[in-house]
Amino acid sequence: MAIPFLDLQAQYRGIKAEIAEAIQQVLDTSTYALGPSVEHFENAFAAYCHSTFAMGVNSGTSAITLLLRAHGIGPGDEVITAPNSFFASAEAISLAGATPTFCDVLESTANMDPSKIEAAITKKTKAILPVHLYGQPADMDAINAIAKKHNLLVFEDSAQAQGALYKDKRTGSLADGAAFSFYPGKNLGAYGEAGAVVTNSEDAANKVKMFRDHGSHVKYHHDLIGANERMDGIQGAVLGVKLKYLDKWNDARRNLAARYHERLKNSSKVTLIETLADCSSNYHLMIVRTKDREKLQAHLKEKGIATGIHYPIPIHLQPAYKDLGYKKGAFPVVEMLCDEVLSLPMFAELSQEQVDEVCDAIEGL
Ligand SMILES: *Cc1c(COP(=O)(O)O)cnc(C)c1O
């Protein structure tokens, strides 16, 4: 039997009736933009993240941009992020009017290398945007210490890390604010596009609420130029149902990841990415590294096993950012990882036997 990379249908089958009821409530009250279902989810998600405020928005990309704008970051400012992330980490900085700059990552964790941050700081740097890539927390204590020394803000790109833990604290509560994505394929996924900003700052929370709703806090009174970046009522309802299951789903992923690690830790075919000590990844993605990715991917495909690549081209080498002037070789670890990473099937409903089948196929290369 073929093994899919991700199976959203399997998850949906388990919660079908509850979802139908939650959506029906939105239909019955016709509260389609923000409204009670979104407010309910916002309160639950803020508490889940060990934080004070959560604001539902229309995507993770908007969440990052709004977080930056709410802290006055814009034209003339620089924000440092990791170039092996999804493109939106940098794009959202550009959409705020600021300029993304980059620093290299650690080979062991594939996350921002704290020892490389200071070299990227200039007079224009206002903030650091570490990415909890693949769902495993970045080294926040080290990053926050550097930020404090240089008087910079720190924001978490937690788009992939719903429910991940850094020393018993949840992502979303580890810095000056965090952005989450609820794109359908994320561990907590909407049935459409959605995201959230999470913060302890009441001032930032109020600004995000204004910016997401045309710069207005009283209808038809506009204090700022904002945009329409509100969360849909239907997405709030879906996310409100799914949040209750997130820990269970994340634990299932952790068990599957443990099996992958057990089976592959001594493999001569692939190497694994490590999670920092005292941290718990949500295993949004299950990554292995290989020197001959094309061959391994083709071999797995032949066995009916679907894989992905997250991400094949580093952001600093994307055509969209050619004006920033980065050359190949600027971030050697990132560039090496982008050539070597392969994402294996990973979702809560995957079975232990399927994981074994994937590992057997890898070892049989
Ligand atoms: C998914 C993702 C985003 C963007 O979120 P959208 O909801 O798709 O806009 C940003 N950063 C990272 C690391 C992501 O994985």
Side-chain angles (χ1 to χ4, degrees):
M1 269 273 279
I3 302 179
F5 179 67
L6 170 66
D7 183 357
L8 291 177
Q9 285 293 319
Q11 185 192 69
Y12 175 57
R13 280 194 290 274
I15 54 174
K16 204 167 172 169
E18 243 184 302
I19 290 284
E21 194 185 318
I23 291 177
Q24 190 61 51
Q25 254 179 39
V26 177
L27 301 178
D28 287 340
T29 52
S30 300
T31 44
Y32 298 120
L34 298 176
S37 64
V38 173
E39 269 172 49
H40 173 266
F41 170 69
E42 288 173 334
N43 292 332
F45 193 65
Y48 180 83
C49 293
H50 305 161
S51 193
T52 317
F53 305 99
M55 281 68 63
V57 298
N58 62 348
S59 74
T61 308
S62 296
I64 302 171
T65 303
L66 285 163
L67 191 52
L68 298 175
R69 290 192 72 190
H71 286 84
I73 293 170
D77 299 332
E78 291 178 359
V79 179
I80 302 167
T81 194
N84 57 335
S85 183
F86 179 55
F87 184 69
S89 299
E91 184 186 38
I93 296 168
S94 300
L95 288 169
T99 303
T101 61
F102 303 108
C103 81
D104 215 340
V105 301
L106 288 161
E107 184 177 345
S108 54
T109 64
N111 270 333
M112 188 176 271
D113 181 348
S115 76
K116 301 283 169 60
I117 294 172
E118 283 190 308
I121 296 173
T122 73
K123 284 193 178 61
K124 295 177 176 174
T125 307
K126 288 288 179 331
I128 308 171
L129 180 73
V131 181
H132 303 310
L133 197 66
Y134 312 138
Q136 50 152 350
D139 190 353
M140 295 307 292
D141 284 350
I143 293 167
N144 283 329
I146 292 161
K148 196 167 171 204
K149 183 172 152 200
H150 295 271
N151 203 18
L152 305 175
L153 293 163
V154 179
F155 303 113
E156 303 166 65
D157 182 339
S158 200
Q160 303 188 356
Q162 305 88 352
L165 289 163
Y166 179 87
K167 301 181 179 176
D168 297 329
K169 284 197 274 180
R170 283 215 198 278
T171 55
S173 68
L174 306 173
D176 296 297
F180 287 86
S181 166
F182 307 121
Y183 178 75
K186 303 285 158 90
N187 287 33
L188 179 61
Y191 289 169
E193 305 282 353
V197 175
V198 171
T199 178
N200 285 318
S201 157
E202 187 166 12
D203 180 60
N206 286 333
K207 287 196 175 120
V208 168
K209 284 181 198 164
M210 287 177 75
F211 278 127
R212 76 174 170 185
D213 196 10
H214 305 290
S216 134
H217 64 115
V218 176
K219 206 166 190 179
Y220 306 130
H221 294 254
H222 305 275
D223 299 329
L224 305 162
I225 310 279
N228 175 1
E229 297 177 322
R230 300 173 301 236
M231 182 186 276
D232 286 352
I234 287 179
Q235 302 313 334
V238 168
L239 291 165
V241 170
K242 292 180 74 173
L243 180 59
K244 294 184 286 181
Y245 297 97
L246 180 59
D247 282 343
K248 191 180 109 186
W249 291 331
N250 281 348
D251 283 343
R253 287 175 182 259
R254 289 178 181 120
N255 285 334
L256 296 166
R259 183 68 183 169
Y260 270 123
H261 279 256
E262 180 60 33
R263 287 288 316 269
L264 299 175
K265 66 179 184 230
N266 298 319
S267 171
S268 59
K269 316 284 187 203
V270 295
T271 50
L272 297 161
I273 301 272
E274 290 165 28
T275 302
L276 283 178
D278 304 320
C279 292
S280 176
S281 176
N282 71 0
Y283 287 98
H284 173 57
L285 294 168
M286 177 65 218
I287 307 291
V288 293
R289 289 169 55 195
T290 160
K291 294 281 176 205
D292 197 346
R293 178 169 64 195
E294 233 169 272
K295 188 169 159 206
L296 180 59
Q297 193 170 32
H299 170 75
L300 293 176
K301 190 176 174 198
E302 205 173 286
K303 305 244 173 218
I305 297 164
T307 56
I309 298 173
H310 301 87
Y311 297 88
I313 303 166
I315 301 174
H316 66 283
L317 300 179
Q318 292 285 358
Y321 279 127
K322 66 175 184 301
D323 290 351
L324 293 180
Y326 289 101
K327 297 276 179 308
K328 201 166 165 57
F331 305 108
V333 180
V334 161
E335 291 167 27
M336 175 179 68
L337 290 172
C338 287
D339 285 340
E340 296 184 2
V341 289
L342 184 70
S343 310
L344 302 178
M346 174 54 84
F347 50 95
E349 298 77 13
L350 192 71
S351 71
Q352 199 89 245
E353 291 69 33
Q354 286 174 308
V355 169
D356 282 335
E357 202 179 316
V358 176
C359 296
D360 289 342
I362 291 170
E363 294 304 301
L365 180 69

